[in-house]
PDB file of all heavy atoms in Angstrom:
ATOM      1  N   ASP L 515     144.904  97.181 121.294  1.00 90.00           N
ATOM      2  CA  ASP L 515     145.242  97.064 122.710  1.00 90.00           C
ATOM      3  C   ASP L 515     144.851  95.684 123.215  1.00 90.00           C
ATOM      4  O   ASP L 515     143.770  95.490 123.780  1.00 90.00           O
ATOM      5  CB  ASP L 515     144.494  98.145 123.503  1.00 90.00           C
ATOM      6  CG  ASP L 515     144.861  98.103 124.987  1.00 90.00           C
ATOM      7  OD1 ASP L 515     145.691  97.237 125.369  1.00 90.00           O
ATOM      8  OD2 ASP L 515     144.320  98.919 125.745  1.00 90.00           O
ATOM      9  N   PRO L 516     145.745  94.704 123.039  1.00 87.00           N
ATOM     10  CA  PRO L 516     145.394  93.317 123.388  1.00 87.00           C
ATOM     11  C   PRO L 516     145.136  93.131 124.884  1.00 87.00           C
ATOM     12  O   PRO L 516     144.475  92.176 125.273  1.00 87.00           O
ATOM     13  CB  PRO L 516     146.610  92.502 122.926  1.00 87.00           C
ATOM     14  CG  PRO L 516     147.652  93.467 122.485  1.00 87.00           C
ATOM     15  CD  PRO L 516     147.077  94.842 122.465  1.00 87.00           C
ATOM     16  N   ALA L 517     145.617  94.035 125.706  1.00 85.00           N
ATOM     17  CA  ALA L 517     145.418  93.852 127.143  1.00 85.00           C
ATOM     18  C   ALA L 517     143.999  94.176 127.570  1.00 85.00           C
ATOM     19  O   ALA L 517     143.502  93.650 128.553  1.00 85.00           O
ATOM     20  CB  ALA L 517     146.409  94.730 127.924  1.00 85.00           C
ATOM     21  N   HIS L 518     143.343  95.040 126.816  1.00 86.00           N
ATOM     22  CA  HIS L 518     142.014  95.458 127.220  1.00 86.00           C
ATOM     23  C   HIS L 518     140.879  94.956 126.338  1.00 86.00           C
ATOM     24  O   HIS L 518     139.727  95.044 126.721  1.00 86.00           O
ATOM     25  CB  HIS L 518     141.940  96.990 127.312  1.00 86.00           C
ATOM     26  CG  HIS L 518     142.618  97.522 128.511  1.00 86.00           C
ATOM     27  ND1 HIS L 518     143.939  97.919 128.499  1.00 86.00           N
ATOM     28  CD2 HIS L 518     142.181  97.676 129.786  1.00 86.00           C
ATOM     29  CE1 HIS L 518     144.281  98.315 129.703  1.00 86.00           C
ATOM     30  NE2 HIS L 518     143.250  98.168 130.518  1.00 86.00           N
ATOM     31  N   TYR L 519     141.223  94.494 125.152  1.00 90.00           N
ATOM     32  CA  TYR L 519     140.161  94.024 124.255  1.00 90.00           C
ATOM     33  C   TYR L 519     140.390  92.565 123.899  1.00 90.00           C
ATOM     34  O   TYR L 519     141.467  92.192 123.451  1.00 90.00           O
ATOM     35  CB  TYR L 519     140.127  94.878 122.985  1.00 90.00           C
ATOM     36  CG  TYR L 519     139.810  96.323 123.293  1.00 90.00           C
ATOM     37  CD1 TYR L 519     140.808  97.289 123.334  1.00 90.00           C
ATOM     38  CD2 TYR L 519     138.483  96.708 123.559  1.00 90.00           C
ATOM     39  CE1 TYR L 519     140.514  98.615 123.630  1.00 90.00           C
ATOM     40  CE2 TYR L 519     138.184  98.030 123.861  1.00 90.00           C
ATOM     41  CZ  TYR L 519     139.201  98.974 123.903  1.00 90.00           C
ATOM     42  OH  TYR L 519     138.895 100.267 124.199  1.00 90.00           O
ATOM     43  N   ALA L 520     139.323  91.776 124.091  1.00 87.00           N
ATOM     44  CA  ALA L 520     139.436  90.333 123.851  1.00 87.00           C
ATOM     45  C   ALA L 520     139.613  90.061 122.366  1.00 87.00           C
ATOM     46  O   ALA L 520     139.241  90.870 121.507  1.00 87.00           O
ATOM     47  CB  ALA L 520     138.196  89.623 124.376  1.00 87.00           C
ATOM     48  N   SER L 521     140.133  88.878 122.073  1.00 89.00           N
ATOM     49  CA  SER L 521     140.439  88.514 120.690  1.00 89.00           C
ATOM     50  C   SER L 521     139.142  88.251 119.908  1.00 89.00           C
ATOM     51  O   SER L 521     138.102  87.947 120.493  1.00 89.00           O
ATOM     52  CB  SER L 521     141.302  87.261 120.659  1.00 89.00           C
ATOM     53  OG  SER L 521     140.502  86.148 121.000  1.00 89.00           O
ATOM     54  N   PRO L 522     139.216  88.348 118.593  1.00 92.00           N
ATOM     55  CA  PRO L 522     138.013  88.070 117.795  1.00 92.00           C
ATOM     56  C   PRO L 522     137.509  86.645 117.970  1.00 92.00           C
ATOM     57  O   PRO L 522     136.303  86.411 117.999  1.00 92.00           O
ATOM     58  CB  PRO L 522     138.467  88.343 116.360  1.00 92.00           C
ATOM     59  CG  PRO L 522     139.939  88.497 116.378  1.00 92.00           C
ATOM     60  CD  PRO L 522     140.324  88.859 117.765  1.00 92.00           C
ATOM     61  N   MET L 523     138.410  85.704 118.102  1.00 91.00           N
ATOM     62  CA  MET L 523     137.965  84.319 118.289  1.00 91.00           C
ATOM     63  C   MET L 523     137.189  84.182 119.594  1.00 91.00           C
ATOM     64  O   MET L 523     136.203  83.450 119.678  1.00 91.00           O
ATOM     65  CB  MET L 523     139.171  83.364 118.319  1.00 91.00           C
ATOM     66  CG  MET L 523     139.817  83.154 116.973  1.00 91.00           C
ATOM     67  SD  MET L 523     138.614  82.734 115.709  1.00 91.00           S
ATOM     68  CE  MET L 523     138.819  80.990 115.627  1.00 91.00           C
ATOM     69  N   PHE L 524     137.649  84.901 120.613  1.00 89.00           N
ATOM     70  CA  PHE L 524     136.956  84.863 121.901  1.00 89.00           C
ATOM     71  C   PHE L 524     135.519  85.384 121.734  1.00 89.00           C
ATOM     72  O   PHE L 524     134.568  84.828 122.270  1.00 89.00           O
ATOM     73  CB  PHE L 524     137.719  85.702 122.930  1.00 89.00           C
ATOM     74  CG  PHE L 524     137.082  85.726 124.275  1.00 89.00           C
ATOM     75  CD1 PHE L 524     137.226  84.650 125.142  1.00 89.00           C
ATOM     76  CD2 PHE L 524     136.303  86.812 124.689  1.00 89.00           C
ATOM     77  CE1 PHE L 524     136.624  84.660 126.386  1.00 89.00           C
ATOM     78  CE2 PHE L 524     135.692  86.814 125.930  1.00 89.00           C
ATOM     79  CZ  PHE L 524     135.849  85.745 126.782  1.00 89.00           C
ATOM     80  N   HIS L 525     135.390  86.456 120.957  1.00 91.00           N
ATOM     81  CA  HIS L 525     134.045  86.996 120.735  1.00 91.00           C
ATOM     82  C   HIS L 525     133.165  86.026 119.944  1.00 91.00           C
ATOM     83  O   HIS L 525     131.971  85.908 120.191  1.00 91.00           O
ATOM     84  CB  HIS L 525     134.141  88.336 119.986  1.00 91.00           C
ATOM     85  CG  HIS L 525     134.332  89.494 120.910  1.00 91.00           C
ATOM     86  ND1 HIS L 525     133.308  89.995 121.686  1.00 91.00           N
ATOM     87  CD2 HIS L 525     135.430  90.227 121.217  1.00 91.00           C
ATOM     88  CE1 HIS L 525     133.769  91.005 122.423  1.00 91.00           C
ATOM     89  NE2 HIS L 525     135.065  91.164 122.150  1.00 91.00           N
TER      90      HIS L 525
END
Side-chain angles (χ1 to χ4, degrees):
Chain L
D515 182 0
H518 285 93
Y519 298 101
S521 73
M523 287 310 260
F524 180 78
H525 274 285

